[in-house]
Amino acid sequence: KACQKELDAISLERLKDNADAFCDDFCKALKDTIQGSIIAPANSYGETLEQENLAAGSFADIQGCPMSVSERTWEHLLQAEVGNTQHRLYGG
């Protein structure tokens, strides 16, 4: 009897409204995720420049690489152009 009462209370219009609301919420969540609105704290997931260089490498003193720079030039570039090398950054 209770089951029949619930079935009788269901309307096609209400089911469509709930489905539309779910679809809208899902699409918004997907859009926010794709656009990068999820924030990861840099202090937990970020890397200093030194950590990034250890993980990915750099252009300092690579034999045979046309983009290679000397260690002295690299240090100068870090101080003059980059700065704040100890700050942790996240992202690309």
Side-chain angles (χ1 to χ4, degrees):
K1 206 172 196 183
C3 197
Q4 186 61 41
K5 184 178 178 183
E6 284 186 35
L7 288 173
D8 292 339
I10 294 175
S11 73
L12 187 56
E13 198 61 39
R14 187 170 153 212
L15 288 173
K16 285 181 183 179
D17 289 344
N18 286 342
D20 286 342
F22 175 80
C23 185
D24 290 344
D25 290 344
F26 180 81
C27 289
K28 183 186 179 315
L30 184 61
K31 176 184 169 257
D32 289 346
T33 301
I34 291 172
Q35 288 185 343
S37 64
I38 295 174
I39 299 171
N43 59 351
S44 298
Y45 298 100
E47 294 179 326
T48 64
L49 186 60
E50 182 179 357
Q51 291 168 327
E52 185 177 320
N53 284 340
L54 289 173
S58 71
F59 293 109
D61 283 337
I62 301 174
Q63 297 299 322
C65 177
M67 296 181 69
S68 178
V69 295
S70 69
E71 188 67 34
R72 182 175 177 205
T73 302
W74 179 254
E75 291 300 322
H76 174 72
L77 287 172
L78 289 180
Q79 296 306 317
E81 301 294 331
V82 178
N84 300 321
T85 60
Q86 295 306 311
H87 289 167
R88 294 175 72 94
L89 301 176
Y90 180 78

Coordinates of all heavy atoms in Angstrom, one line a residue:
K1 N 0.8 -1.2 0.0 CA 0.0 0.0 0.0 C 0.9 1.3 0.0 O 0.6 2.2 -0.7 CB -0.9 0.0 1.2 CG -2.2 0.7 1.1 CD -3.1 0.5 2.2 CE -4.4 1.0 1.8 NZ -5.4 0.8 2.8
A2 N 1.9 1.3 0.8 CA 2.8 2.5 0.9 C 3.6 2.6 -0.4 O 3.8 3.7 -0.9 CB 3.8 2.3 2.0
C3 N 3.9 1.5 -1.0 CA 4.6 1.5 -2.3 C 3.7 2.1 -3.4 O 4.2 2.9 -4.2 CB 5.1 0.1 -2.6 SG 6.4 0.1 -3.9
Q4 N 2.5 1.7 -3.4 CA 1.6 2.2 -4.4 C 1.3 3.7 -4.2 O 1.2 4.4 -5.2 CB 0.2 1.4 -4.3 CG -0.7 1.8 -5.4 CD -0.2 1.5 -6.8 OE1 0.4 0.5 -7.0 NE2 -0.4 2.4 -7.7
K5 N 1.3 4.1 -2.9 CA 1.1 5.6 -2.6 C 2.3 6.4 -3.2 O 2.1 7.4 -3.8 CB 1.0 5.8 -1.1 CG 0.7 7.2 -0.7 CD 0.5 7.3 0.8 CE 0.3 8.7 1.2 NZ 0.2 8.9 2.6
E6 N 3.5 5.9 -3.0 CA 4.7 6.6 -3.6 C 4.7 6.6 -5.1 O 5.0 7.6 -5.7 CB 6.0 5.9 -3.1 CG 6.3 6.2 -1.7 CD 7.7 5.6 -1.3 OE1 8.6 5.6 -2.1 OE2 7.8 5.2 -0.1
L7 N 4.3 5.5 -5.7 CA 4.2 5.4 -7.2 C 3.2 6.4 -7.7 O 3.4 7.0 -8.8 CB 3.9 4.0 -7.6 CG 5.0 3.0 -7.5 CD1 4.5 1.6 -7.8 CD2 6.2 3.4 -8.4
D8 N 2.0 6.5 -7.0 CA 1.0 7.4 -7.4 C 1.4 8.9 -7.3 O 1.0 9.7 -8.1 CB -0.3 7.2 -6.6 CG -0.9 5.9 -6.9 OD1 -0.7 5.3 -8.0 OD2 -1.7 5.4 -6.1
A9 N 2.3 9.2 -6.4 CA 2.8 10.5 -6.1 C 3.8 11.0 -7.2 O 4.1 12.2 -7.3 CB 3.4 10.7 -4.7
I10 N 4.4 10.0 -7.9 CA 5.4 10.4 -8.9 C 4.8 11.0 -10.1 O 3.8 10.4 -10.7 CB 6.2 9.1 -9.3 CG1 7.0 8.6 -8.1 CG2 7.2 9.4 -10.5 CD1 7.8 7.3 -8.4
S11 N 5.3 12.1 -10.5 CA 4.7 12.7 -11.7 C 5.8 12.8 -12.8 O 7.0 13.0 -12.4 CB 4.2 14.1 -11.5 OG 5.2 15.0 -11.2
L12 N 5.5 12.7 -14.0 CA 6.4 12.8 -15.1 C 7.2 14.1 -15.1 O 8.4 14.2 -15.3 CB 5.7 12.5 -16.4 CG 6.6 12.4 -17.6 CD1 7.7 11.3 -17.4 CD2 5.8 12.2 -18.9
E13 N 6.4 15.2 -14.8 CA 7.0 16.5 -14.8 C 8.0 16.6 -13.7 O 9.1 17.2 -13.9 CB 5.9 17.5 -14.6 CG 6.3 19.0 -15.0 CD 6.7 19.1 -16.4 OE1 6.0 18.5 -17.3 OE2 7.6 19.8 -16.7
R14 N 7.7 16.1 -12.5 CA 8.7 16.2 -11.4 C 9.9 15.4 -11.7 O 11.1 15.8 -11.4 CB 8.0 15.6 -10.1 CG 8.8 15.8 -8.9 CD 8.0 15.4 -7.7 NE 8.8 15.0 -6.6 CZ 8.6 14.1 -5.7 NH1 7.4 13.5 -5.7 NH2 9.4 13.8 -4.8
L15 N 9.8 14.2 -12.3 CA 11.0 13.4 -12.7 C 11.8 14.1 -13.7 O 13.1 14.1 -13.6 CB 10.5 12.1 -13.3 CG 9.9 11.0 -12.3 CD1 9.4 9.8 -13.1 CD2 11.0 10.6 -11.3
K16 N 11.2 14.8 -14.7 CA 12.0 15.6 -15.7 C 12.7 16.8 -15.0 O 13.9 17.0 -15.3 CB 11.0 16.2 -16.7 CG 10.5 15.1 -17.7 CD 9.6 15.8 -18.8 CE 9.1 14.8 -19.7 NZ 8.2 15.4 -20.7
D17 N 12.0 17.4 -14.0 CA 12.7 18.5 -13.3 C 13.9 18.1 -12.5 O 15.0 18.7 -12.6 CB 11.7 19.2 -12.4 CG 10.6 20.0 -13.1 OD1 10.8 20.3 -14.4 OD2 9.6 20.4 -12.5
N18 N 13.7 16.9 -11.9 CA 14.9 16.4 -11.1 C 16.0 16.0 -12.0 O 17.2 16.2 -11.7 CB 14.4 15.2 -10.2 CG 13.6 15.7 -9.0 OD1 13.6 16.8 -8.6 ND2 12.9 14.8 -8.5
A19 N 15.7 15.4 -13.1 CA 16.7 15.0 -14.1 C 17.4 16.2 -14.7 O 18.7 16.2 -14.8 CB 16.1 14.1 -15.2
D20 N 16.7 17.2 -15.0 CA 17.3 18.4 -15.5 C 18.2 19.1 -14.5 O 19.3 19.6 -14.8 CB 16.2 19.4 -15.9 CG 15.5 19.1 -17.2 OD1 16.1 18.2 -18.0 OD2 14.4 19.6 -17.5
A21 N 17.8 19.1 -13.2 CA 18.6 19.7 -12.2 C 19.9 18.9 -12.0 O 21.0 19.5 -11.8 CB 17.8 19.8 -10.9
F22 N 19.8 17.6 -12.0 CA 21.0 16.8 -11.9 C 21.9 17.0 -13.0 O 23.1 17.1 -12.8 CB 20.6 15.3 -11.8 CG 21.8 14.4 -11.8 CD1 22.5 14.1 -10.6 CD2 22.2 13.8 -12.9 CE1 23.6 13.3 -10.6 CE2 23.3 12.9 -12.9 CZ 24.0 12.7 -11.8
C23 N 21.4 17.1 -14.2 CA 22.2 17.3 -15.4 C 22.9 18.7 -15.3 O 24.1 18.8 -15.6 CB 21.3 17.2 -16.7 SG 22.3 17.3 -18.2
D24 N 22.2 19.7 -14.9 CA 22.8 21.0 -14.8 C 23.9 21.0 -13.8 O 25.0 21.6 -14.0 CB 21.7 22.0 -14.4 CG 20.7 22.3 -15.5 OD1 21.0 22.0 -16.7 OD2 19.6 22.9 -15.2
D25 N 23.7 20.4 -12.6 CA 24.7 20.3 -11.6 C 25.9 19.6 -12.0 O 27.1 20.0 -11.8 CB 24.1 19.7 -10.3 CG 23.1 20.6 -9.6 OD1 23.1 21.8 -9.9 OD2 22.4 20.0 -8.7
F26 N 25.7 18.4 -12.7 CA 26.8 17.6 -13.2 C 27.6 18.4 -14.2 O 28.8 18.4 -14.2 CB 26.3 16.3 -13.8 CG 27.4 15.5 -14.4 CD1 28.1 14.6 -13.5 CD2 27.7 15.5 -15.7 CE1 29.1 13.8 -14.0 CE2 28.7 14.7 -16.3 CZ 29.4 13.9 -15.4
C27 N 26.9 19.1 -15.2 CA 27.6 19.8 -16.2 C 28.4 21.0 -15.6 O 29.5 21.3 -16.0 CB 26.7 20.4 -17.3 SG 26.0 19.0 -18.3
K28 N 27.9 21.7 -14.6 CA 28.6 22.7 -13.9 C 29.8 22.2 -13.2 O 30.9 22.8 -13.3 CB 27.7 23.4 -12.9 CG 28.4 24.6 -12.2 CD 27.5 25.2 -11.2 CE 28.2 26.4 -10.4 NZ 29.6 26.2 -10.1
A29 N 29.7 21.1 -12.5 CA 30.9 20.5 -11.8 C 31.9 20.1 -12.8 O 33.1 20.3 -12.6 CB 30.4 19.3 -11.0
L30 N 31.5 19.5 -14.0 CA 32.5 19.1 -15.0 C 33.2 20.4 -15.6 O 34.4 20.4 -15.8 CB 31.8 18.3 -16.1 CG 32.6 17.8 -17.2 CD1 33.7 16.8 -16.6 CD2 31.8 17.1 -18.2
K31 N 32.4 21.4 -15.8 CA 33.0 22.7 -16.4 C 34.0 23.3 -15.4 O 35.1 23.7 -15.8 CB 31.9 23.7 -16.7 CG 32.3 25.0 -17.1 CD 31.1 26.0 -17.3 CE 31.6 27.4 -17.5 NZ 31.5 28.2 -16.3
D32 N 33.6 23.3 -14.1 CA 34.5 23.9 -13.1 C 35.8 23.0 -13.0 O 36.9 23.6 -12.8 CB 33.9 23.9 -11.7 CG 32.8 24.9 -11.6 OD1 32.7 25.8 -12.5 OD2 32.0 24.9 -10.7
T33 N 35.7 21.7 -13.1 CA 36.9 20.9 -13.1 C 37.8 21.1 -14.3 O 39.0 21.2 -14.1 CB 36.5 19.4 -13.0 OG1 35.7 19.2 -11.9 CG2 37.7 18.5 -12.9
I34 N 37.2 21.2 -15.4 CA 38.0 21.4 -16.7 C 38.7 22.7 -16.7 O 39.8 22.9 -17.1 CB 37.1 21.2 -17.9 CG1 36.7 19.7 -18.0 CG2 37.8 21.7 -19.2 CD1 35.7 19.4 -19.1
Q35 N 38.0 23.7 -16.1 CA 38.6 25.1 -16.1 C 39.6 25.3 -15.0 O 40.1 26.3 -14.8 CB 37.5 26.1 -16.0 CG 36.7 26.2 -17.3 CD 35.7 27.4 -17.2 OE1 35.3 27.8 -16.2 NE2 35.2 27.7 -18.4
G36 N 39.8 24.2 -14.2 CA 40.8 24.3 -13.2 C 40.4 25.1 -11.9 O 41.2 25.7 -11.3
S37 N 39.2 25.1 -11.6 CA 38.7 25.8 -10.4 C 39.0 25.0 -9.1 O 38.8 25.6 -8.1 CB 37.2 26.1 -10.5 OG 36.5 24.9 -10.5
I38 N 39.5 23.8 -9.3 CA 39.9 23.1 -8.1 C 41.2 23.6 -7.6 O 42.2 23.6 -8.4 CB 39.9 21.6 -8.3 CG1 38.5 21.1 -8.7 CG2 40.5 20.8 -7.2 CD1 38.4 19.6 -9.1
I39 N 41.3 24.0 -6.4 CA 42.6 24.7 -5.9 C 43.4 23.7 -5.1 O 42.9 23.1 -4.2 CB 42.2 25.9 -5.1 CG1 41.5 26.9 -6.0 CG2 43.5 26.5 -4.5 CD1 40.9 28.1 -5.2
A40 N 44.6 23.5 -5.5 CA 45.6 22.7 -4.7 C 46.5 23.6 -4.0 O 47.2 24.5 -4.7 CB 46.3 21.7 -5.7
P41 N 46.7 23.6 -2.7 CA 47.5 24.5 -2.0 C 49.0 24.3 -2.4 O 49.5 23.2 -2.4 CB 47.3 24.1 -0.5 CG 46.7 22.8 -0.5 CD 46.0 22.6 -1.8
A42 N 49.6 25.4 -2.8 CA 51.0 25.4 -3.2 C 52.0 24.9 -2.1 O 53.0 24.2 -2.4 CB 51.5 26.7 -3.7
N43 N 51.7 25.2 -0.9 CA 52.6 24.8 0.2 C 52.6 23.2 0.4 O 53.5 22.7 0.9 CB 52.2 25.5 1.5 CG 50.8 25.2 2.0 OD1 50.0 24.6 1.3 ND2 50.5 25.6 3.2
S44 N 51.5 22.5 -0.1 CA 51.5 21.1 0.0 C 51.9 20.4 -1.3 O 52.6 19.4 -1.3 CB 50.1 20.6 0.3 OG 49.6 21.1 1.5
Y45 N 51.5 21.0 -2.5 CA 51.8 20.4 -3.8 C 52.8 21.1 -4.6 O 53.1 20.6 -5.7 CB 50.5 20.2 -4.5 CG 49.5 19.3 -3.8 CD1 48.4 19.9 -3.1 CD2 49.6 18.0 -3.8 CE1 47.5 19.1 -2.4 CE2 48.7 17.1 -3.2 CZ 47.7 17.7 -2.5 OH 46.8 16.9 -1.8
G46 N 53.2 22.3 -4.2 CA 54.1 23.1 -5.0 C 55.5 22.6 -4.9 O 55.9 21.8 -4.1
E47 N 56.4 23.2 -5.8 CA 57.8 22.9 -5.8 C 58.6 24.2 -5.9 O 58.2 25.1 -6.5 CB 58.2 22.0 -7.0 CG 57.6 20.7 -7.1 CD 58.0 19.9 -8.3 OE1 58.2 20.6 -9.4 OE2 58.2 18.7 -8.2
T48 N 59.7 24.2 -5.2 CA 60.6 25.3 -5.4 C 61.3 25.1 -6.7 O 61.2 24.0 -7.3 CB 61.7 25.4 -4.2 OG1 62.5 24.2 -4.3 CG2 61.1 25.5 -2.9
L49 N 62.0 26.1 -7.2 CA 62.7 26.0 -8.5 C 63.7 24.9 -8.4 O 63.9 24.1 -9.3 CB 63.4 27.3 -8.8 CG 64.0 27.4 -10.2 CD1 63.0 27.1 -11.3 CD2 64.7 28.7 -10.5
E50 N 64.4 24.7 -7.3 CA 65.4 23.7 -7.1 C 64.8 22.3 -7.2 O 65.3 21.4 -7.9 CB 66.2 23.8 -5.8 CG 67.2 22.8 -5.6 CD 68.0 23.0 -4.2 OE1 67.7 23.9 -3.5 OE2 68.8 22.1 -3.9
Q51 N 63.6 22.1 -6.5 CA 62.9 20.8 -6.6 C 62.5 20.5 -8.0 O 62.5 19.4 -8.5 CB 61.8 20.8 -5.6 CG 62.1 20.8 -4.2 CD 61.0 21.1 -3.3 OE1 60.1 21.9 -3.6 NE2 61.0 20.5 -2.1
E52 N 62.0 21.6 -8.7 CA 61.5 21.4 -10.1 C 62.7 21.0 -11.0 O 62.5 20.1 -11.8 CB 60.8 22.6 -10.6 CG 60.2 22.5 -11.9 CD 59.5 23.7 -12.4 OE1 58.8 24.4 -11.6 OE2 59.6 24.1 -13.6
N53 N 63.8 21.6 -10.8 CA 65.0 21.3 -11.6 C 65.5 19.9 -11.4 O 65.9 19.2 -12.3 CB 66.1 22.3 -11.4 CG 65.9 23.6 -12.0 OD1 65.1 23.7 -13.0 ND2 66.5 24.7 -11.6
L54 N 65.4 19.5 -10.1 CA 65.8 18.1 -9.8 C 64.9 17.1 -10.5 O 65.3 16.0 -11.0 CB 65.9 17.8 -8.3 CG 67.0 18.5 -7.6 CD1 66.8 18.4 -6.1 CD2 68.3 18.0 -8.0
A55 N 63.6 17.4 -10.5 CA 62.6 16.5 -11.1 C 62.6 16.5 -12.6 O 62.4 15.5 -13.2 CB 61.2 16.8 -10.5
A56 N 62.7 17.7 -13.2 CA 62.5 17.9 -14.6 C 63.7 18.3 -15.4 O 63.8 18.2 -16.6 CB 61.4 18.9 -14.9
G57 N 64.8 18.7 -14.7 CA 66.0 19.2 -15.4 C 65.9 20.6 -15.7 O 64.9 21.3 -15.4
S58 N 67.0 21.1 -16.2 CA 67.1 22.5 -16.6 C 68.0 22.6 -17.8 O 68.5 21.6 -18.3 CB 67.7 23.4 -15.5 OG 69.0 23.1 -15.3
F59 N 68.3 23.8 -18.3 CA 69.1 24.0 -19.4 C 70.6 24.4 -19.0 O 71.3 24.9 -19.8 CB 68.6 25.2 -20.3 CG 67.3 24.8 -21.0 CD1 66.1 25.4 -20.6 CD2 67.3 23.8 -22.0 CE1 64.9 25.0 -21.2 CE2 66.1 23.4 -22.6 CZ 64.9 24.1 -22.2
A60 N 70.9 24.2 -17.8 CA 72.2 24.5 -17.3 C 73.2 23.4 -17.6 O 73.0 22.3 -17.2 CB 72.2 24.8 -15.8
D61 N 74.3 23.8 -18.3 CA 75.4 22.9 -18.5 C 75.0 21.5 -19.1 O 75.4 20.5 -18.6 CB 76.3 22.7 -17.3 CG 77.2 23.9 -17.0 OD1 77.5 24.6 -17.9 OD2 77.5 24.1 -15.8
I62 N 74.3 21.5 -20.2 CA 73.9 20.3 -20.9 C 74.8 20.2 -22.2 O 74.6 21.1 -23.1 CB 72.4 20.2 -21.3 CG1 71.6 20.3 -20.0 CG2 72.1 19.0 -22.1 CD1 70.1 20.4 -20.3
Q63 N 75.7 19.3 -22.2 CA 76.6 19.2 -23.4 C 75.8 18.9 -24.6 O 74.9 18.0 -24.7 CB 77.6 18.0 -23.1 CG 78.5 18.3 -21.9 CD 79.4 19.6 -22.1 OE1 79.8 19.8 -23.2 NE2 79.5 20.3 -21.0
G64 N 76.1 19.6 -25.7 CA 75.5 19.4 -27.0 C 74.1 20.0 -27.1 O 73.5 19.9 -28.2
C65 N 73.6 20.6 -26.1 CA 72.2 21.2 -26.2 C 72.4 22.7 -26.7 O 73.1 23.5 -26.0 CB 71.5 21.2 -24.9 SG 69.9 22.0 -24.9
P66 N 71.8 23.1 -27.8 CA 71.9 24.4 -28.3 C 71.3 25.5 -27.3 O 71.7 26.7 -27.4 CB 71.2 24.5 -29.6 CG 70.3 23.3 -29.6 CD 70.9 22.3 -28.7
M67 N 70.4 25.1 -26.4 CA 69.8 26.0 -25.5 C 70.6 26.1 -24.2 O 70.2 26.8 -23.2 CB 68.4 25.7 -25.3 CG 67.5 25.8 -26.5 SD 65.8 25.5 -26.3 CE 65.3 26.8 -25.2
S68 N 71.6 25.3 -24.0 CA 72.3 25.2 -22.8 C 73.0 26.5 -22.4 O 73.5 27.2 -23.3 CB 73.4 24.1 -22.9 OG 74.1 24.0 -21.7
V69 N 73.0 26.8 -21.1 CA 73.8 27.9 -20.6 C 74.7 27.5 -19.6 O 74.6 26.4 -18.9 CB 72.8 29.0 -20.0 CG1 71.9 29.6 -21.1 CG2 72.0 28.4 -18.9
S70 N 75.8 28.2 -19.3 CA 76.8 27.9 -18.3 C 76.2 28.0 -16.9 O 75.2 28.7 -16.7 CB 78.0 28.8 -18.4 OG 77.7 30.1 -18.0
E71 N 76.8 27.4 -16.0 CA 76.3 27.4 -14.6 C 76.3 28.9 -14.1 O 75.4 29.3 -13.4 CB 77.2 26.5 -13.7 CG 76.7 26.4 -12.3 CD 75.4 25.6 -12.2 OE1 75.2 24.7 -13.0 OE2 74.5 25.9 -11.4
R72 N 77.3 29.6 -14.5 CA 77.4 31.0 -14.0 C 76.2 31.8 -14.6 O 75.6 32.6 -13.9 CB 78.7 31.6 -14.5 CG 78.9 33.0 -14.1 CD 80.3 33.5 -14.4 NE 80.4 34.9 -14.1 CZ 81.3 35.7 -14.6 NH1 82.1 35.3 -15.5 NH2 81.3 37.0 -14.3
T73 N 76.0 31.7 -15.9 CA 74.9 32.3 -16.6 C 73.5 31.9 -16.0 O 72.6 32.7 -15.8 CB 74.9 32.0 -18.1 OG1 76.1 32.5 -18.6 CG2 73.7 32.8 -18.8
W74 N 73.4 30.6 -15.7 CA 72.2 30.1 -15.1 C 71.9 30.8 -13.7 O 70.8 31.2 -13.5 CB 72.3 28.6 -14.9 CG 71.1 28.0 -14.3 CD1 71.0 27.5 -13.0 CD2 69.8 27.8 -14.8 NE1 69.8 27.0 -12.7 CE2 69.0 27.1 -13.9 CE3 69.3 28.0 -16.1 CZ2 67.7 26.8 -14.1 CZ3 67.9 27.7 -16.3 CH2 67.2 27.1 -15.3
E75 N 72.9 30.9 -12.9 CA 72.8 31.5 -11.6 C 72.4 33.0 -11.7 O 71.6 33.5 -11.0 CB 74.0 31.4 -10.7 CG 74.3 29.9 -10.3 CD 73.2 29.4 -9.4 OE1 72.6 30.1 -8.6 OE2 72.9 28.2 -9.6
H76 N 73.0 33.7 -12.7 CA 72.7 35.1 -13.0 C 71.3 35.2 -13.4 O 70.5 36.1 -13.0 CB 73.7 35.7 -14.0 CG 73.3 37.0 -14.4 ND1 73.5 38.1 -13.6 CD2 72.7 37.5 -15.5 CE1 73.0 39.2 -14.2 NE2 72.6 38.9 -15.4
L77 N 70.8 34.4 -14.3 CA 69.4 34.4 -14.8 C 68.5 34.2 -13.7 O 67.4 34.8 -13.6 CB 69.2 33.4 -15.9 CG 69.8 33.7 -17.3 CD1 69.7 32.5 -18.2 CD2 69.2 34.9 -17.9
L78 N 68.8 33.2 -12.8 CA 67.9 32.9 -11.7 C 67.7 34.2 -10.8 O 66.6 34.5 -10.4 CB 68.4 31.8 -10.8 CG 68.3 30.4 -11.5 CD1 68.8 29.3 -10.5 CD2 66.9 30.1 -11.9
Q79 N 68.8 34.8 -10.5 CA 68.7 36.0 -9.6 C 68.2 37.2 -10.3 O 67.3 37.9 -9.7 CB 70.1 36.3 -9.0 CG 70.7 35.2 -8.2 CD 69.8 34.8 -7.0 OE1 69.2 35.7 -6.4 NE2 69.6 33.5 -6.8
A80 N 68.6 37.5 -11.5 CA 68.2 38.7 -12.2 C 66.8 38.6 -12.8 O 66.0 39.6 -12.8 CB 69.2 39.0 -13.3
E81 N 66.4 37.5 -13.4 CA 65.2 37.3 -14.1 C 64.1 36.6 -13.4 O 62.9 36.9 -13.6 CB 65.5 36.6 -15.5 CG 66.5 37.3 -16.4 CD 66.0 38.7 -16.9 OE1 64.8 38.9 -17.0 OE2 66.9 39.5 -17.1
V82 N 64.4 35.6 -12.6 CA 63.4 34.8 -11.9 C 63.2 35.3 -10.5 O 62.1 35.7 -10.2 CB 63.8 33.3 -11.9 CG1 62.8 32.5 -11.2 CG2 64.0 32.8 -13.3
G83 N 64.2 35.3 -9.7 CA 64.0 35.7 -8.3 C 63.1 34.8 -7.5 O 62.4 33.9 -8.1
N84 N 63.0 35.0 -6.3 CA 62.0 34.2 -5.4 C 62.1 32.7 -5.7 O 61.1 32.0 -5.7 CB 60.6 34.7 -5.6 CG 60.4 36.1 -5.2 OD1 61.0 36.6 -4.3 ND2 59.6 36.9 -6.0
T85 N 63.3 32.2 -5.9 CA 63.4 30.8 -6.2 C 63.1 29.8 -5.1 O 62.9 28.7 -5.3 CB 64.9 30.5 -6.7 OG1 65.8 30.8 -5.6 CG2 65.2 31.3 -7.9
Q86 N 62.9 30.3 -3.9 CA 62.6 29.5 -2.8 C 61.1 29.4 -2.5 O 60.6 28.6 -1.7 CB 63.3 29.9 -1.5 CG 64.8 29.8 -1.5 CD 65.2 28.4 -1.9 OE1 64.8 27.4 -1.3 NE2 66.1 28.3 -2.9
H87 N 60.3 30.2 -3.2 CA 58.8 30.1 -3.1 C 58.3 28.9 -3.8 O 58.8 28.5 -4.9 CB 58.2 31.4 -3.8 CG 58.4 32.6 -3.0 ND1 58.1 33.8 -3.5 CD2 58.9 32.8 -1.7 CE1 58.4 34.8 -2.6 NE2 58.9 34.2 -1.5
R88 N 57.3 28.3 -3.2 CA 56.7 27.1 -3.8 C 55.6 27.4 -4.7 O 54.7 28.2 -4.4 CB 56.2 26.2 -2.7 CG 57.3 25.6 -1.8 CD 56.8 24.8 -0.6 NE 56.2 23.6 -1.1 CZ 56.9 22.4 -1.1 NH1 58.2 22.4 -0.6 NH2 56.3 21.3 -1.4
L89 N 55.7 26.9 -5.9 CA 54.7 27.2 -7.0 C 54.0 25.9 -7.4 O 54.6 24.9 -7.3 CB 55.3 27.9 -8.2 CG 56.0 29.2 -7.9 CD1 56.6 29.7 -9.2 CD2 55.0 30.2 -7.4
Y90 N 52.8 26.1 -7.8 CA 52.0 24.9 -8.3 C 51.4 25.2 -9.6 O 50.8 26.3 -9.8 CB 50.9 24.5 -7.3 CG 50.1 23.3 -7.7 CD1 50.6 22.0 -7.5 CD2 48.8 23.5 -8.2 CE1 49.8 21.0 -7.9 CE2 48.1 22.4 -8.6 CZ 48.6 21.1 -8.5 OH 47.9 20.1 -8.8
G91 N 51.5 24.4 -10.5 CA 50.9 24.6 -11.8 C 51.9 24.8 -12.9 O 53.1 24.8 -12.7
G92 N 51.4 25.1 -14.1 CA 52.4 25.3 -15.2 C 52.1 26.5 -16.0 O 51.3 27.3 -15.7

